[in-house]
């Protein structure tokens, strides 16, 4: 267990960090983030009933368990996760995005690097050197990504391939991380039930390339008709593949 004393001068031990009240267990910290369609402050009572020991809130006056009030719970979530899962950012992230081919590409790259050096997070679950877990989403919730990457680091892995879905980027499930490598498989008109417009969908995909380290690498599909737009999103070295020439 980790203490939050260094962050808030409150000696509270937490087993885990959660943003979904239905996933709270005894002695978890519950962070009341605000999502695209939901405000987690609405579920504080449920989190407390399920055993939460600590709250991060941005509104309200008094709560029956220790809490800290901050201006922006979404930003504060990154601080608390970085404290509890302090080794997570020691992993070099290889983020794969695209309408199709994310799972295959992420799996092949992990196979090529080797299971002793590289983990995987995506549609097929979470796979470390010894640690494995199921995942309900292609890109898990942000608190789980920190937890999984922290576990990978403790297993002495150096890299992780992560399927960076457009929905995952929309909900900021990889917020706070910089990527060593970002890969585009392709981009086609899909998932508009979630993003409503092609412009919104493209914007979420491009976030992957905004998040690459300046000394990192983007690998882009030159045959994709949106290639030039992705290329403009990169502030790092770029290599391409395909048949087209630009």
């Amino acid at each position: 267990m980790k203490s939050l004393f260094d962050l808030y001068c409150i000696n509270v031990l937490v087993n885990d960090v959660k943003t979904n009240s239905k996933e709270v267990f005894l002695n978890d910290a519950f962070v009341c983030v605000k999502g695209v369609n939901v405000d987690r402050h609405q579920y504080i009572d449920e989190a407390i009933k399920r055993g939460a020991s600590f709250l991060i809130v941005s509104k309200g006056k008094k709560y029956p368990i220790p809490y800290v009030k901050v201006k922006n719970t979404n930003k504060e979530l990154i601080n608390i996760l970085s404290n509890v899962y302090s080794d997570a950012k020691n992993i070099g992230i290889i983020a794969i995005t695209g309408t199709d081919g994310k799972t295959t590409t992420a799996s092949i790259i992990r196979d090529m690097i080797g299971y002793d050096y590289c983990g995987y997070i995506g549609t097929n679950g979470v796979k470390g050197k010894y640690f494995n877990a199921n995942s309900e989403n292609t890109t898990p919730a942000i608190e789980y990504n920190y937890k999984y990457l922290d576990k990978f680091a403790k297993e002495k892995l150096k890299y992780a391939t992560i399927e960076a879905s457009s929905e995952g980027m929309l909900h900021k499930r990889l917020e706070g991380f910089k990527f060593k490598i970002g890969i585009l498989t392709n981009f086609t008109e899909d998932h508009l039930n979630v993003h409503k417009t092609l412009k919104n969908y493209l914007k979420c995909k491009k976030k992957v390339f905004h998040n690459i380290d300046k000394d990192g690498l983007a690998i882009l599909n030159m045959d994709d008709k949106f290639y030039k737009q992705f290329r403009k999103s990169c502030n790092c070295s770029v290599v391409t593949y395909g048949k087209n020439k630009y």
Side-chain angles (χ1 to χ4, degrees), residues 88-115:
K89 292 187 178 180
N90 294 331
I91 296 291
I93 296 175
I94 303 169
I96 298 94
T97 196
T99 306
D100 303 298
K102 294 186 295 295
T103 303
T104 300
T105 303
S107 299
I108 289 174
I109 292 173
R110 185 191 181 224
D111 289 344
M112 293 174 66
I113 295 175
Y115 294 6

Side-chain angles (χ1 to χ4, degrees), residues 32-190:
C32 301
V33 297
K34 296 180 180 180
V36 177
N37 299 311
V38 66
D39 181 348
R40 300 296 183 184
H41 288 85
Q42 300 173 8
Y43 303 99
I44 289 176
D45 288 344
E46 181 180 17
I48 293 174
K49 288 179 181 179
R50 293 181 64 87
S53 61
F54 186 68
L55 301 173
I56 303 289
V57 301
S58 63
K59 57 186 179 182
K61 295 183 178 180
K62 291 185 178 180
Y63 297 100
I65 63 173
Y67 69 95
V68 168
K69 193 173 183 179
V70 299
K71 289 184 178 181
N72 188 317
T73 52
N74 293 60
K75 289 184 178 179
E76 194 63 24
L77 175 62
I78 306 301
N79 290 333
I80 191 172
L81 289 172
S82 297
N83 180 266
V84 174
Y85 303 115
S86 55
D87 290 330
K89 292 187 178 180
N90 294 331
I91 296 291
I93 296 175
I94 303 169
I96 298 94
T97 196
T99 306
D100 303 298
K102 294 186 295 295
T103 303
T104 300
T105 303
S107 299
I108 289 174
I109 292 173
R110 185 191 181 224
D111 289 344
M112 293 174 66
I113 295 175
Y115 294 6
D116 288 340
Y117 299 95
C118 186
Y120 162 87
I121 299 174
T123 302
N124 290 336
V126 181
K127 300 178 181 180
K129 189 174 182 179
Y130 305 109
F131 170 78
N132 294 280
N134 295 321
S135 176
E136 294 184 0
N137 299 304
T138 296
T139 308
I142 186 170
E143 60 265 32
Y144 288 102
N145 285 319
Y146 268 86
K147 181 198 299 187
Y148 298 149
L149 291 170
D150 184 81
K151 286 183 178 294
F152 288 174
K154 287 176 170 57
E155 290 186 332
K156 307 301 181 183
L157 299 181
K158 301 298 182 183
Y159 304 97
T161 58
I162 297 182
E163 295 183 46
S165 69
S166 59
E167 190 169 353
M169 299 308 292
L170 173 66
H171 294 293
K172 300 182 178 181
R173 294 173 186 166
L174 291 171
E175 191 79 4
F177 290 107
K178 284 291 186 178
F179 308 143
K180 291 297 181 184
I181 299 175
I183 301 172
L184 173 69
T185 58
N186 59 6
F187 182 83
T188 61
E189 296 184 22
D190 202 351

Side-chain angles (χ1 to χ4, degrees), residues 14-18 26-30 84-85 143-144 147:
V14 300
N15 287 333
D16 212 340
V17 180
K18 301 291 175 58
L26 184 64
N27 293 327
D28 284 348
F30 182 62
V84 174
Y85 303 115
E143 60 265 32
Y144 288 102
K147 181 198 299 187

